[in-house]
Amino acid sequence: MTPEAHAAFTAALLDRLSADADVVGVVLLGSSSGIPPGPDEFSDHDLFVVTRPGAQERFRTDLGWLPDAAEVVLAFRETPHGVKALCATGHLVELAAFDVDELALARVNRYRVALDRADVVTRMERVRAASAEGPAPPDARWRAGQFLTSLVVGAGRAARGERLSGHALVRDAALGHLLALLRARLPADVAARLDDLDPARRFELAAPELGRELDAALRRPVAAAARALLAVAARELGDLVPPRARAAVEAAIDRAEPFDR
């Protein structure tokens, strides 16, 4: 979907929802919000529909209000309030329908209130503040420990033949902890470019050289990827990767690598 088509879909969406008396607010999220970075050909649509009490379920179960409802080939309930709808063109709509009180359950970062008939602007300001505050982040040493042990277990499972589990531990679990730790070391102005709900979003745009290095590491076999991620962590987070711990992880990878083919 081109940016122009994305904007046209947004306009049609707002026209349909604003004409419905049960709708008291529309909140556009992410690339649909108008806050940079804007939509590109790979962007989906993310939104909240805010309704009068009792009307919200209709917008979750009957998607006829979508501009391209006839093109929906897959729709399912992702959460109690949210639905994902996939169109024949590959366009994805991620939506949640809340009444005004349920809106407090949401978490957001980039958003724009496009329709407000029930003080939605003020309510969303509270939601954004609560999202930013969130729970206390995990201790850095806990994350580092999880990262290092995920490399050990992931490489071992791949060597044993449990390759899918190995992939998941190294390329998902370990990577997630590593990105969170690296983000905490970035200068504040660089870290501000990242998504504050998902540490992987836009990381390579904020730290391109490091992003390319991590991407190259993840393209390797499981054990080799684990070794490359460990090298990045040792260089960038030296105080969190004690030499003896690094040596122990490397020894585990050394044992696993000959079987990881």
Side-chain angles (χ1 to χ4, degrees), residues 192-240:
R193 302 175 204 161
L194 300 174
D195 189 297
D196 57 2
L197 298 181
D198 180 351
R201 290 294 309 276
R202 297 190 293 278
F203 186 92
E204 55 271 78
L205 302 181
E209 290 187 11
L210 194 51
R212 284 192 293 271
E213 185 176 3
L214 292 173
D215 180 59
L218 295 171
R219 294 173 184 270
R220 301 177 184 180
V222 177
R227 189 184 302 282
L229 294 180
L230 177 62
V232 171
R235 186 188 71 229
E236 302 290 335
L237 310 165
D239 57 311
L240 295 175

Side-chain angles (χ1 to χ4, degrees), residues 20 23 27 51 53 58 68 79 81 83 107-108 110 112 119 124 134 151 156 188 191 195 197 201 219 243 249 259:
D20 193 311
V23 176
V27 183
T51 75
R58 171 166 70 88
D68 55 358
T79 67
H81 306 92
V83 174
R107 295 182 71 222
V108 298
R110 289 185 295 156
R112 173 171 65 92
D119 201 21
M124 286 301 301
L151 296 181
D195 189 297
L197 298 181
R201 290 294 309 276
R219 294 173 184 270
V249 176
F259 301 97

Side-chain angles (χ1 to χ4, degrees), residues 91-217:
H91 179 224
L92 179 65
V93 180
E94 298 186 62
L95 65 103
F98 301 100
D99 70 16
V100 289
D101 292 328
E102 289 173 333
L103 196 57
L105 300 172
R107 295 182 71 222
V108 298
N109 45 31
R110 289 185 295 156
Y111 75 91
R112 173 171 65 92
V113 177
L115 176 67
D116 187 357
R117 295 169 176 161
D119 201 21
V120 175
V121 167
T122 301
R123 291 173 184 271
M124 286 301 301
E125 288 170 355
R126 295 191 196 114
V127 170
R128 178 67 181 102
S131 300
E133 182 177 323
D139 176 78
R141 295 198 176 277
W142 177 88
R143 276 205 183 276
Q146 293 284 61
F147 164 71
L148 294 170
T149 54
S150 292
L151 296 181
V152 171
V153 177
R157 288 188 183 172
R160 186 188 293 133
E162 298 179 51
R163 299 192 56 78
L164 299 182
S165 179
H167 282 299
L169 281 163
V170 172
R171 304 184 200 281
D172 185 8
L175 177 66
H177 291 303
L178 179 58
L179 288 174
L181 291 166
L182 292 172
R183 173 184 175 136
R185 300 292 177 94
L186 292 173
D189 60 326
V190 175
R193 302 175 204 161
L194 300 174
D195 189 297
D196 57 2
L197 298 181
D198 180 351
R201 290 294 309 276
R202 297 190 293 278
F203 186 92
E204 55 271 78
L205 302 181
E209 290 187 11
L210 194 51
R212 284 192 293 271
E213 185 176 3
L214 292 173
D215 180 59

Side-chain angles (χ1 to χ4, degrees), residues 39-57:
D40 59 26
E41 61 187 298
F42 305 107
S43 296
D44 53 21
H45 270 86
D46 296 274
L47 71 146
F48 295 158
V49 181
V50 188
T51 75
R52 301 185 191 281
Q56 61 270 44
E57 185 65 14

